[in-house]
């Protein structure tokens, strides 16, 4: 418990530092937000007025404290480009991208665990080669290309889904999940191939160890050995790896959303980047940073719970 | 462990299916165009039959609609995409017809007496919020859009208005400074309710459709307005689905998930499924490589002329649309039949040799570096820019393309004039020739290319003041000549507008303006 | 028990073939990759046009070669910056240890916690797109992962007997690091380079696909994929060959990386 508390403290400190960095990065670099809003022809008086209105004339720490406070209460500022608050722009998009990531993570685990564990004790022979080769190839396929291939196959050839006409989860939850199926697969397949490889190689190296050999000589069945001895030992590397996978899923989701015309965070982030709409970019960066930090935290805690030997 | 095997087997099966399907399809479906004389006609024609009242359709648009739906702001800011869509929601005192005529809309009739325009309000015209349109709303709307103190809603062409007044509860008088036989076309400006607060987010008009919802960069929904004063629309509901580019629209069309999409290229139309047909119209805009006269070396006439000689418009049209489209030569498109100056089309024939000579004369024997800024969402403009890069390379000019978001283009290129050259299509905000030319007057707000010619300004002043219509036409044509002689821009074409339509839908009409009228579109039995 | 390292051999051969094809292809291409041909658009694969033509009549095979060349150039640049930076910083951290190690590695841990493409996206928003910017941004973002490998290796090697001996002979730390430790760690480091190369290829493809990587008219595989999306129905070979070019590149190099790692084990 004490360990968790300490870890939690570290998490909060890190989040704090990240928030300062994110705040500073977007304060220093993009020039003057007032000029950005009024244009270069604006008079000095109107610029000064807007600066005061935007609070840009106050000292940096005060502005940071203000920004953080508002951010924590869900007020992430206002878009430079659109007449909308960032919170409103993010709205559904967080849910959409979040569920896409969740779904693809479920697929990754759902494919990788069974395949990996089932074939894990086949460390040679035809199944070994088939799985190794297949995973080696699939993990080389970028999700964005896989997305194109899946669109072509299932939308154009088989007409199983309609690309571009995104179904909102407000209208039809089932249709929404159906639409998310292929994008999620495009993200999940290469990831599950990587995970299968990891599981198989971890099990493979455990199989060679003394304690397994002892168990075998005692006449235990192979599935019992797998369950009782090997699984707990490979759980930690697998969880660590899956955490990284989930984090990598963020980027893939942003790209794959474009392939399937999904109105998620990706489209917003990209247009915000191209429009130099810094409040939006800043908000998205901070949210993702927080997500990543929390994920690492949870993963550490989980690993610790499984294996008491881990020092946090 | 059973499930594990199943998962694996499924994976293998899926991979197998993938290989087979891909192999099979590359052979079967990949029909190459035998000839390039036009998108292969598959005998698809608009369906014939009794119109059905009702139904819902999805229209795919590859344009950024921006975030403000304020009709006056739309006209002022110049995002054609949103005007095109909200043409269905708003009406002015008068409105354009597909033939390019102006017919009374919110007004029932009007009289013109020199500088005095008198409009009689049509009985029983209601706003989408249920309120009756009053003369106060009309006065409010005209004043609001003509208000020079407002930076965002100011329609500069309306600055000629000197007086707007409600005479009685059915009559409005509008007076302008000098006689102007193009003024009426400006009164297509939207009539909106005076007491309504949020025009940018929740627009209310009098058109055949009412606004329902707009999700930024995702969709805009309109529904039929049942209390419409005129011929009611057929469709119950139209959803405009916003795509990030033409490519995504085509995929959606191919899968049959949208019913209508315009502004497609010939190669895109060729991919339509068999139960779609397409119509050929004009986009009604002047596509050009617009040149910023304030930056080097484009301030040099010889350089601009060289660019004109280097460009091969026919090749652009061949690649974009199998040769369809209409070269324009100057800042006027053919739908303005009286003003369009066909003789200017070949003013700068494709002549790379001449371009090189001119460049050498200008002091750039080895060419120069050029940046072409293009909004990424408009696929035809992007392709055009790519072709231009090749054509310029042939005369030694090294061009790169900077793809930008549409909102960025609006603020940076059009607003701050911070660019070197850009491929874009400029349309007319109202059905006046002036709308195409006024932006080149020295110091005009829309003069983002920083064009400045005394001769142009003088002629423009004359044209604006001309009361004799023939004289005015002559002057407008002269203005076009000046633009070409000055090589103001590299004028390209009025793009062909290929509209893909679901085989069960008909009634789509082209306008001489950049609009998309949904009120006549309907399903058939 | 020394089995022959098939993975390394196959990966090495494949990578070599690809390299020859890409590098050679940039000198001897069947067509100019940007030459337009309005009358021959979206043509099927045939004898002069091995992979058909695209929507502007350009030869897809030549374009794939050219695009793969761009990708190769960028990936190499990224790996070069990343590896050099990583070696220097990570190596020093590992070799000297202490507070330097602590600070540097903590910081790098923080950076590597984020997806690099995402950070690159944000960075490009500040610098603008373009080949040079992409190389520098990705290169810098790749430094931590290389640093981690270098640190581990240098930490392992610095207490090996022969290193201790050289140190006693009075060699300077820099000399020890690069003359004595580096050759010893080369295979491990090469494997890291190969993995980094692949990540760079994928990152560049994603950025260019999203339109914030390489700028037109420079050919890149990511941008080609974005363009080809609109012609999946009548000309699927464009998307397929472009995508497969990426897959092949990544696949070969990942085999190579695998082989290198396996040799170490």
């Amino acid at each position: 418990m004490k360990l968790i508390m300490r870890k939690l403290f570290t998490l909060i400190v890190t989040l704090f530092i990240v928030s300062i960095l994110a705040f500073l990065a977007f304060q220093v670099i993009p020039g003057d937000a007032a000029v950005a809003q009024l244009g270069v022809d604006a008079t000095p008086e109107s610029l000064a007025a807007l600066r005061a209105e935007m609070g840009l004339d106050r000292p940096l720490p005060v502005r940071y404290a203000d920004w953080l406070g508002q951010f924590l209460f869900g007020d992430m500022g206002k878009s430079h480009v659109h007449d909308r608050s960032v919170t409103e722009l993010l709205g559904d998009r967080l849910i959409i991208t979040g569920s896409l990531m969740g779904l693809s993570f479920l697929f990754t685990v759902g494919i990788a665990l069974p395949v990996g564990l089932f074939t894990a004790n086949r460390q040679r022979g035809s199944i070994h080669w088939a799985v190794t080769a297949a995973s080696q190839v699939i993990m080389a396929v970028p999700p964005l290309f896989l997305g194109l291939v899946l669109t072509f196959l299932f939308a154009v050839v088989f007409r199983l889904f309609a690309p571009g006409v995104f179904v909102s989860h407000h209208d039809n939850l089932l249709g929404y999940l159906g639409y998310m199926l292929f994008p999620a697969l495009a993200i999940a397949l290469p990831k599950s191939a990587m995970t299968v490889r990891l599981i198989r190689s971890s099990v493979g190296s455990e199989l060679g160890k003394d304690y397994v050999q002892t168990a075998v000589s005692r006449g235990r069945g192979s599935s019992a050995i797998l369950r009782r001895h090997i699984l707990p030992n490979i759980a930690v590397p697998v969880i660590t790896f899956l955490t990284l996978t989930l984090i990598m899923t963020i980027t893939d989701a942003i790209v794959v959303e474009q392939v399937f015309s999904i109105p998620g965070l990706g489209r917003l982030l990209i247009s915000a980047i191209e429009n130099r709409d810094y409040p939006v970019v800043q908000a998205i960066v901070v949210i993702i940073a927080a997500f990543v930090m929390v994920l690492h935290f949870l993963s550490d805690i989980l690993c610790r719970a499984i294996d008491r030997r881990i020092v946090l | 462990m059973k499930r594990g095997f199943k998962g694996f087997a499924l994976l293998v099966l899926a991979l197998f299916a993938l290989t087979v399907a891909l192999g099979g399809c590359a052979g079967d479906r990949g029909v190459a165009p035998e000839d390039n004389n036009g998108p292969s006609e598959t005998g698809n024609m608009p369906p014939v039959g009794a119109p059905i009242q009702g139904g819902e359709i999805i229209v795919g648009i590859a344009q950024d609609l921006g975030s403000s739906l304020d009709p006056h702001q739309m006209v002022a800011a110049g995002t054609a995409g949103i005007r095109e869509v909200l043409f269905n929601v708003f009406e002015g005192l008068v409105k354009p017809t597909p033939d390019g005529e102006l017919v009374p809309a919110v007004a029932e009739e009007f009289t013109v007496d020199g500088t005095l325009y008198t409009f009689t309000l049509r009985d029983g015209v209601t706003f989408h919020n249920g309120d009756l349109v009053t003369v106060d709303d009309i006065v409010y709307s005209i004043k609001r859009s003509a208000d020079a103190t407002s930076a965002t809603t100011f329609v500069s062409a309306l600055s000629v208005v000197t007086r707007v007044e409600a005479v009685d509860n059915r009559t409005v008088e509008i007076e302008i400074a000098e006689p102007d036989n193009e003024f009426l076309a400006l009164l297509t400006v939207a009539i909106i309710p005076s007491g309504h607060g949020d025009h940018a987010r929740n627009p209310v008009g009098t058109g055949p459709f009412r606004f329902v919802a707009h999700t930024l960069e995702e969709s805009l929904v309109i529904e039929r307005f049942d209390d419409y004063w005129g011929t009611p629309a057929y469709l119950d509901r139209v959803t405009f689905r916003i795509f990030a580019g033409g490519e995504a629209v085509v995929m959606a069309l191919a899968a049959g998930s949208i019913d209508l999409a315009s502004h497609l290229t010939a190669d895109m139309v060729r991919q339509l499924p068999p139960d779609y047909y397409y119509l050929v119209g004009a986009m009604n805009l002047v596509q050009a490589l617009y040149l910023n006269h304030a930056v080097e070396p484009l301030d040099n006439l010889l350089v601009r002329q060289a660019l004109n000689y280097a460009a091969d418009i026919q090749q652009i049209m061949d690649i974009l649309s199998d040769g369809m489209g209409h070269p324009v030569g100057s800042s006027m498109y053919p739908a303005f039949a009286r003003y369009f100056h066909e003789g200017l089309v070949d003013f700068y024939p494709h002549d790379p040799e001449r371009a090189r000579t001119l460049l050498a004369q200008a002091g750039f024997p080895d060419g120069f570096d050029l940046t072409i800024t293009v909004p990424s969402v408009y696929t035809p403009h992007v392709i055009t820019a790519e072709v231009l890069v090749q054509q310029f390379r042939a005369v030694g000019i090294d061009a790169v393309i900077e793809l930008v978001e549409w909102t960025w283009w609006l603020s940076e290129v059009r607003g701050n004039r911070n660019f070197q050259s850009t491929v874009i299509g400029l349309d007319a905000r109202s059905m006046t020739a002036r709308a195409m030319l006024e932006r080149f007057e020295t110091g005009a707000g829309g003069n983002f290319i920083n064009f400045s010619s005394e001769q142009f300004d003088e002629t423009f002043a004359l044209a604006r003041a001309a009361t004799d219509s023939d004289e005015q036409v002559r002057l407008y044509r002269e203005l076009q000549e000046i633009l070409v002689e000055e090589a103001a821009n590299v004028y390209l074409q009025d793009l062909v507008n290929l509209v893909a339509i679901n085989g069960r839908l008909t009634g789509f009409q082209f306008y001489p303006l950049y609009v998309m009228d949904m009120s006549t579109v309907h399903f058939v039995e | 028990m020394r089995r022959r390292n098939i993975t390394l051999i196959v990966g090495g051969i494949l990578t070599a073939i690809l390299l020859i094809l890409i590098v050679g292809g940039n000198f001897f291409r069947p067509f100019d990759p940007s030459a337009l041909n309005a009358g021959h658009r979206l043509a099927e694969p045939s004898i002069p046009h091995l992979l058909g033509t695209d929507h502007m009549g350009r030869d897809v095979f030549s374009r794939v070669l050219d695009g793969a060349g761009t990708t190769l150039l960028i990936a190499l640049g990224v790996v070069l910056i990343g590896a050099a930076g990583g070696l220097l910083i990570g190596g020093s951290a590992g070799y000297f240890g202490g507070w330097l190690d602590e600070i540097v590695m903590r910081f790098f841990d923080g950076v590597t916690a984020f997806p690099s493409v995402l950070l690159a996206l944000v960075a490009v928003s500040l610098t603008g797109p373009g080949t040079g910017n992409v190389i520098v941004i990705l290169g810098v973002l790749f430094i931590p992962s290389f640093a981690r490998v270098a640190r581990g290796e240098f930490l392992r090697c610095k207490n090996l007997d022969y290193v201790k001996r050289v140190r006693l002979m009075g060699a300077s730390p820099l000399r020890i690091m690069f003359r004595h430790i580096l050759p010893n760690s080369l295979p491990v480091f090469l494997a890291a380079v190969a993995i980094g190369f692949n990540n760079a290829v994928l990152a560049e493809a994603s950025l260019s696909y999203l339109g914030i990587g390489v700028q037109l008219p420079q050919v890149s595989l990511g941008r080609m994929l974005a363009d080809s999306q609109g012609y999946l129905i009548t000309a699927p070979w464009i998307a397929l060959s472009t995508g497969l070019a990426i897959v092949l590149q990544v696949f070969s190099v990942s085999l190579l990386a695998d082989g290198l790692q396996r040799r170490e084990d």
Side-chain angles (χ1 to χ4, degrees):
Chain A
M1 215 48 221
K2 216 170 167 186
L3 279 170
I4 294 180
M5 289 310 285
R6 213 182 68 199
K7 200 72 191 163
L8 199 61
F9 178 72
T10 323
L11 173 73
I12 291 168
V13 171
T14 328
L15 276 175
F16 185 66
I17 294 170
V18 167
S19 75
I20 292 180
L21 285 178
F23 176 77
L24 285 181
F26 291 96
Q27 286 295 313
V28 180
I29 304 164
D32 195 320
V35 176
Q37 201 153 327
L38 285 184
V40 284
D41 298 333
T43 59
E45 293 80 38
S46 63
L47 275 178
L50 185 68
R51 269 201 204 101
E53 192 192 316
M54 292 167 90
L56 289 176
D57 52 346
R58 293 170 307 151
L60 213 58
V62 179
R63 270 151 57 197
Y64 169 73
D66 245 30
W67 172 79
L68 188 66
Q70 288 168 348
F71 201 97
L72 289 178
F73 288 99
D75 176 6
M76 292 176 255
K78 207 175 151 220
S79 158
H80 282 339
V81 176
H82 305 291
D83 185 24
R84 303 274 197 284
S85 73
V86 177
T87 318
E88 188 188 344
L89 283 174
L90 287 176
D92 272 0
R93 292 165 198 265
L94 275 178
I95 300 169
I96 290 169
T97 302
S99 57
L100 175 60
M101 286 171 56
L103 207 58
S104 48
F105 187 68
L106 276 183
F107 282 140
T108 307
V109 177
I111 295 169
L113 282 189
V115 175
L117 293 178
F118 177 68
T119 63
N121 47 10
R122 312 286 176 90
Q123 295 282 340
R124 51 189 64 202
S126 54
I127 290 187
H128 165 72
W129 281 107
V131 176
T132 309
S135 56
Q136 191 72 257
V137 172
I138 295 173
M139 60 184 254
V141 183
L144 91 98
F145 177 51
L146 197 54
L148 279 180
V149 173
L150 290 177
T151 312
F152 175 63
L153 267 185
F154 294 102
V156 180
V157 180
F158 299 135
R159 288 203 166 206
L160 279 181
F161 83 109
V165 176
F166 172 76
V167 188
S168 168
H169 58 278
H170 295 301
D171 303 339
N172 178 351
L173 191 63
L174 218 62
Y176 169 74
L177 289 177
Y179 191 86
M180 293 303 227
L181 180 71
F182 292 103
L185 270 181
I187 300 173
L189 282 181
K191 298 259 175 298
S192 52
M194 291 178 208
T195 316
V196 164
R197 255 171 57 100
L198 178 92
I199 294 175
R200 285 170 45 78
S201 69
S202 321
V203 173
S205 62
E206 291 295 319
L207 280 179
K209 287 190 177 159
D210 289 344
Y211 76 96
V212 178
Q213 301 298 339
T214 318
V216 171
S217 64
R218 279 188 193 156
R220 293 242 176 149
S222 67
S223 65
I225 294 177
L226 192 68
R227 212 171 36 241
R228 291 285 299 276
H229 298 283
I230 298 181
L231 273 188
N233 276 315
I234 66 161
V236 168
V238 170
I239 287 172
T240 315
F241 185 79
L242 283 175
T243 310
L244 289 178
T245 306
L246 186 54
I247 290 168
M248 293 308 154
T249 305
I250 302 169
T251 329
D252 289 335
I254 287 171
V255 178
V256 168
E257 277 175 6
Q258 308 312 302
V259 179
F260 288 88
S261 303
I262 296 171
L265 271 191
R267 176 87 194 104
L268 181 69
L269 178 64
I270 288 156
S271 67
I273 284 173
E274 291 193 9
N275 284 327
R276 323 296 198 268
D277 193 353
Y278 293 109
V280 176
V281 179
Q282 190 179 31
I284 295 178
V285 167
V286 172
I287 289 171
I288 290 178
F291 173 74
V292 168
M293 298 293 176
V294 170
L295 217 57
H296 277 298
F297 168 73
L298 291 177
S299 157
D300 284 353
I301 299 293
L302 194 61
C303 288
R304 162 82 193 176
I306 290 169
D307 190 340
R308 310 287 297 180
R309 282 169 303 181
I310 292 177
V311 188
L312 280 175
Chain B
M1 288 300 128
K2 273 259 166 58
R3 266 183 47 219
F5 178 73
K6 221 165 159 184
F8 173 63
L10 274 174
L11 197 76
V12 172
L13 266 179
L15 273 174
F16 181 65
L18 199 128
T19 333
V20 172
L22 287 183
C25 292
D28 298 337
R29 299 195 51 145
V31 187
E34 287 95 340
D35 57 345
N36 277 305
N37 298 331
S40 50
E41 282 282 359
T42 42
N44 292 352
M45 298 292 279
V48 188
I52 294 177
Q53 185 69 33
E56 296 182 8
I57 67 166
I58 299 175
V59 178
I61 45 175
Q63 304 196 41
D64 192 336
L65 299 185
S67 46
S68 169
L69 306 176
D70 186 325
H72 299 154
Q73 203 169 334
M74 259 153 47
V75 180
T79 301
I82 188 67
R83 266 184 278 140
E84 178 183 56
V85 167
L86 291 186
F87 178 74
N88 298 291
V89 174
F90 297 112
E91 289 175 326
L93 289 167
V94 292
K95 70 180 207 174
T97 67
D99 306 326
E101 303 289 317
L102 289 171
V103 295
V106 174
E108 188 171 21
E109 53 183 22
F110 59 87
T111 57
V112 185
D113 178 16
T115 56
L116 182 67
Y117 290 69
T118 312
F119 291 86
T120 312
L121 176 60
R122 189 185 294 277
D123 249 346
V125 180
T126 44
F127 284 117
H128 298 149
N129 63 8
D131 296 345
L132 270 176
V133 178
T134 67
V135 284
D136 294 336
D137 296 318
I138 296 174
V139 172
Y140 166 76
S141 301
I142 303 294
K143 276 190 174 158
R144 182 171 187 263
S145 50
D147 178 10
T149 57
S150 159
T152 49
T153 58
F154 174 48
V155 182
S156 59
L158 278 172
S159 59
V160 293
V161 173
T162 52
R163 183 173 66 91
V164 189
E165 210 172 324
V167 181
D168 57 44
N169 58 8
R170 281 202 66 197
T171 316
V172 175
E173 282 183 358
I174 301 176
E175 193 157 6
I176 54 178
E178 287 158 15
D180 182 344
N181 47 26
E182 287 179 316
F183 178 69
L184 190 62
L186 301 175
L187 296 177
T188 48
V189 73
I191 301 300
I192 53 176
S194 54
H196 186 67
D198 196 4
H199 297 293
R201 298 290 293 273
N202 186 21
V204 170
T206 60
F209 288 92
R210 63 185 183 82
F211 169 82
V212 177
H214 174 216
T215 315
L216 214 62
E217 286 166 358
E218 188 184 329
S219 67
L220 191 147
V221 183
I222 56 176
E223 278 177 3
R224 186 181 57 237
F225 178 48
D226 287 320
D227 295 330
Y228 183 54
W229 60 268
T231 319
Y234 294 96
L235 297 167
D236 293 334
R237 187 183 171 95
V238 179
T239 303
F240 295 93
R241 179 77 60 174
I242 301 159
F243 290 87
E247 291 81 12
V249 175
V250 173
M251 285 312 298
L253 271 174
S257 44
I258 52 180
D259 300 294
L260 195 150
S262 62
H263 312 320
L264 301 174
T265 68
D267 288 326
M268 290 176 172
V269 161
R270 212 173 266 123
Q271 321 207 32
L272 285 179
D275 46 349
Y276 280 74
Y277 66 96
Y278 68 88
L279 299 175
V280 181
M283 279 201 201
N284 299 311
L285 44 77
V286 171
Q287 187 204 33
L289 177 72
Y290 289 93
L291 308 172
N292 189 347
H293 292 231
V295 301
E296 284 183 359
L298 300 177
D299 52 349
N300 186 330
L301 174 66
L302 295 173
V303 170
R304 298 198 300 269
Q305 285 175 332
L307 287 172
N308 271 283
Y309 282 117
D312 180 358
I313 300 165
Q314 191 57 47
Q315 189 182 33
I316 295 172
M317 298 192 337
D318 285 345
I319 285 178
L320 266 186
S321 48
D322 293 331
M324 290 181 284
H326 200 302
V328 287
S330 188
S331 274
M332 191 66 62
Y333 55 82
F336 283 112
R338 288 185 70 202
Y339 304 100
F340 183 67
H341 199 327
E342 187 79 48
L344 299 176
V345 166
D346 273 329
F347 197 90
Y348 296 104
H350 178 53
D351 189 348
E353 256 330 290
R354 192 119 176 235
R356 282 179 177 283
T357 318
L358 285 167
L359 280 178
Q361 280 175 25
F364 298 97
D366 304 320
F368 58 93
D369 290 339
L370 180 74
T371 304
I372 307 177
T373 309
V374 192
S376 58
V377 69
Y378 298 105
T379 310
H381 294 325
V382 177
I383 294 177
T384 301
E386 281 191 83
V387 179
L388 282 174
V389 167
Q390 279 305 109
Q391 295 172 350
F392 289 162
R393 183 177 292 168
V395 301
I397 298 167
D398 216 359
V400 292
I401 297 170
E402 185 191 16
L403 292 178
V404 297
E405 285 279 324
W406 176 236
T407 24
W408 182 253
W409 188 94
L410 279 177
S411 67
E412 217 31 40
V413 176
R414 193 180 175 282
N416 294 337
R417 304 182 185 182
N418 188 6
F419 74 110
Q420 200 174 13
S421 70
T422 179
V423 175
I424 198 76
L426 294 184
D427 71 327
R429 286 170 211 164
S430 63
M431 239 161 35
T432 62
R434 185 191 300 163
M436 292 304 295
L437 295 167
E438 67 188 357
R439 55 171 73 94
F440 299 110
E441 206 182 359
T442 307
N447 191 349
F448 70 102
I449 68 163
N450 295 305
F451 180 77
S452 179
S453 149
E454 269 179 39
Q455 199 194 351
F456 186 94
D457 296 343
E458 284 163 15
T459 316
F460 187 73
L462 288 176
R464 192 190 342 230
T467 45
D468 175 47
S469 134
D470 285 341
E471 171 71 1
Q472 195 172 40
V473 169
R474 194 186 62 74
L475 288 166
Y476 277 143
R477 289 164 72 100
E478 207 178 301
L479 287 171
Q480 295 174 51
E481 282 166 23
I482 297 170
L483 287 175
V484 181
E485 279 157 13
E486 285 287 318
N489 302 296
V490 182
Y491 287 108
L492 302 173
Q493 56 164 334
D494 180 10
L495 289 154
V496 66
N497 186 7
L498 299 174
V499 183
I501 303 175
N502 181 335
R504 295 182 300 121
L505 277 174
T506 189
F508 184 85
Q509 288 181 311
F510 288 104
Y511 278 69
L513 283 169
Y514 196 91
V515 298
M516 205 196 286
D517 184 1
M518 287 295 125
S519 68
T520 53
V521 176
H522 58 81
F523 285 100
V524 293
E525 298 275 357
Chain C
M1 192 182 80
R2 271 191 79 86
R3 272 199 299 153
R4 243 193 298 166
N5 193 336
I6 302 176
T7 325
L8 182 63
I9 295 168
V10 175
I13 292 176
L14 272 178
T15 310
I17 293 177
L18 279 179
L19 268 180
I20 292 169
L21 211 66
I22 294 171
V23 175
N26 275 276
F27 293 102
F28 307 102
R29 275 183 294 241
F31 292 90
D32 173 355
S34 42
L36 308 168
N37 187 344
H40 205 65
R41 303 191 323 267
L42 300 176
E44 272 184 71
S46 62
I47 281 303
H49 296 287
L50 291 177
L51 295 175
T53 59
D54 72 356
H55 61 290
M56 296 169 78
R58 302 174 294 199
D59 182 55
V60 174
F61 182 64
S62 306
R63 284 181 75 72
V64 168
L65 282 182
D66 197 15
T70 308
T71 308
L72 183 72
L73 189 80
I74 291 178
L76 284 180
V78 169
V79 167
L80 204 71
I81 296 178
L87 205 58
L88 212 64
I89 302 174
S92 314
Y95 186 81
F96 296 110
W99 58 268
L100 176 77
D101 185 33
E102 190 66 22
I103 292 176
V104 169
M105 292 327 282
R106 268 290 138 84
F107 178 68
F108 281 2
D109 279 349
V111 177
T112 38
F114 293 97
S116 53
V117 173
L118 189 85
L119 289 180
L121 272 176
V122 175
V124 171
S125 82
L126 303 173
T127 64
T131 313
N133 288 346
V134 170
I135 293 180
V136 173
I137 289 171
L138 284 178
V140 170
L141 287 175
F142 276 34
I143 288 178
S145 58
F146 284 108
R148 192 176 274 183
V149 176
R151 175 181 177 268
E153 277 300 299
F154 278 53
L155 204 60
R156 179 175 68 84
C157 293
K158 79 172 175 188
N159 294 322
L160 292 182
D161 283 344
Y162 81 97
V163 177
K164 282 182 180 160
R165 229 171 300 140
V166 191
R167 195 179 301 139
L168 283 176
M169 284 157 73
S172 73
L174 265 181
R175 193 181 161 80
I176 299 176
M177 280 166 69
F178 290 97
R179 282 298 293 279
H180 301 284
I181 299 184
L182 188 58
N184 192 27
S185 323
L186 209 56
V188 177
F189 210 69
L190 277 183
V193 166
I195 294 169
F197 178 87
N198 270 350
N199 289 334
V201 168
L202 292 174
E204 187 274 324
S206 304
L207 288 179
S208 296
Y209 176 84
L210 297 176
I212 20 199
V214 170
Q215 271 185 303
L216 290 174
Q218 191 168 10
V219 186
S220 78
L221 296 177
R223 180 68 211 179
M224 278 177 74
L225 270 184
D227 282 343
S228 67
Q229 203 174 347
Y231 310 98
L232 260 186
I233 301 132
T234 47
W237 54 84
I238 308 174
L240 289 182
S241 47
T242 310
L244 285 179
I246 302 178
V247 173
L248 218 68
Q249 218 168 332
V250 174
F251 175 70
S252 324
V253 176
S254 76
L255 273 190
L256 189 70
D258 250 28
L260 286 169
Q261 276 172 334
R262 198 159 299 179
R263 216 181 71 165
E264 267 315 281
D265 299 341

